[in-house]
Amino acid sequence: QVQLVESGGGLVQAGGSLRLSCAASGRTFSSYAMGWFRQAPGKEREFVAAISWSGGSTYYADSVKGRFTISRDNAKNTVYLQMNSLKPEDTAVYYCAATTGWGKGTLMAHPEYDYWGQGTQVTVSS
């Protein structure tokens, strides 16, 4: 079992930055690949970024590539999402998730994830 708790969301102006954190419980955090997904009102949940268990591989949605950076600290059981140059269309609830899967196709697909956090709201004003 893995429990995930996100933090760091909030209200920011367009062009600003936020750093989301996701703290995981359990001793096996380093065994899981981690992902960030987001869901805006009336829209489906979409992939944002993912990182392999070692941190050696990262994947991004085209819409955030070059602006967002995913990282992890296995010693702290935490995964991060640094979000720069935020746009109003980035407004959503952001979720972190954990999976024992691997590979780009798996990590970009939300049904492949086993554990989810409760989400944190990010609102970007224009």
Side-chain angles (χ1 to χ4, degrees):
Q1 283 280 351
V2 176
Q3 292 185 327
L4 304 172
V5 179
E6 301 98 334
S7 61
L11 173 65
V12 64
Q13 288 188 333
S17 298
L18 282 175
R19 187 196 197 200
L20 304 184
S21 299
C22 174
S25 65
R27 296 176 294 173
T28 59
F29 174 74
S30 60
S31 300
Y32 291 87
M34 300 296 295
W36 286 96
F37 292 79
R38 66 187 182 186
Q39 188 165 18
K43 295 187 177 181
E44 294 186 353
R45 188 167 299 190
E46 66 172 359
F47 170 77
V48 175
I51 188 167
S52 62
W53 65 270
S54 68
S57 297
T58 56
Y59 309 98
Y60 297 93
D62 288 343
S63 59
V64 307
K65 203 171 292 184
R67 300 188 297 122
F68 291 11
T69 303
I70 188 171
S71 61
R72 67 189 297 161
D73 185 338
N74 286 344
K76 295 182 178 180
N77 281 12
T78 303
V79 63
Y80 305 97
L81 185 67
Q82 177 67 44
M83 305 187 295
N84 299 328
S85 302
L86 282 161
K87 305 175 180 180
E89 51 264 43
D90 294 319
T91 295
V93 177
Y94 283 70
Y95 300 89
C96 73
T99 178
T100 55
W102 57 278
K104 182 178 180 179
T106 295
L107 298 189
M108 293 178 70
H110 67 83
E112 299 292 340
Y113 285 78
D114 305 300
Y115 303 101
W116 292 83
Q118 82 290 348
T120 186
Q121 177 70 47
V122 171
T123 303
V124 184
S125 63
S126 57

